[in-house]
Amino acid sequence: MIAVKARDIEELGVLIPAIVDRLAGATGMTHSQAYRMRLAAEEITTNIVTHGYGGRGGTIDIEPGYDDAWVWVRIEDDAPEFDPSAYDVASRLAMDPGWAPLGGFGLFLALSSVDSLEHVRAGGRNRNLLKIRRGGGTDEEIVRTGRR
């Protein structure tokens, strides 16, 4: 695991792209897959810093990995329990855009960017696993066939 002292979002803005770029290089992820993984990881870690740690800082552990079927980024933190996979954006989407408060769509972006987001609370930690299926062809083939 890569332990990151999450003092601010700017540090994560450098670290997350570097982790995903190395993962993409090692696994042959398409540009689209790498973009979606980066977006999801940035949204989850930003929410941990902003809401979980309330800007006070805390540790976020990040571990990239892969096997024959999946590419993943595991993100663990010590913030209060929160399951992003249970977030329901329906009420947000139903609000009049002119009256809705700002924000609230980051988790929607994260959830819709990956093929799987798994959450468990264990040992006093949130453990989020962001997964994207390997393979699927080039970005052009994916666009042409409608697959992600």
Side-chain angles (χ1 to χ4, degrees), residues 126-146:
N126 292 298
R127 296 180 179 171
N128 296 293
L129 184 62
L130 310 173
K131 295 169 64 176
I132 292 181
R133 283 183 195 88
R134 288 192 72 176
T138 65
D139 284 336
E140 293 79 22
E141 291 168 336
I142 291 168
V143 169
R144 189 178 66 249
T145 62

Side-chain angles (χ1 to χ4, degrees), residues 81-92:
E81 183 172 5
F82 179 74
D83 181 356
S85 66
Y87 179 70
D88 181 17
V89 74
S91 62
R92 260 340 239 134

Side-chain angles (χ1 to χ4, degrees), residues 36-76:
R36 292 186 296 116
M37 181 65 81
R38 177 180 169 180
L39 176 64
E42 286 178 342
E43 289 296 338
I44 295 297
T45 55
T46 296
N47 278 351
I48 293 166
V49 171
T50 305
H51 304 293
Y53 290 131
R56 294 180 308 274
T59 300
I60 297 175
D61 294 323
I62 302 170
E63 179 185 21
Y66 61 94
D67 60 21
D68 290 340
W70 297 96
V71 177
W72 65 81
V73 173
R74 181 174 289 116
I75 301 169
E76 296 187 12

Side-chain angles (χ1 to χ4, degrees), residues 6 8 13 27 39-41 52 54 70 76 84 119-120 122 140 148:
D8 58 48
T27 63
L39 176 64
W70 297 96
E76 296 187 12
H119 171 85
V120 295
E140 293 79 22
R148 286 205 296 173

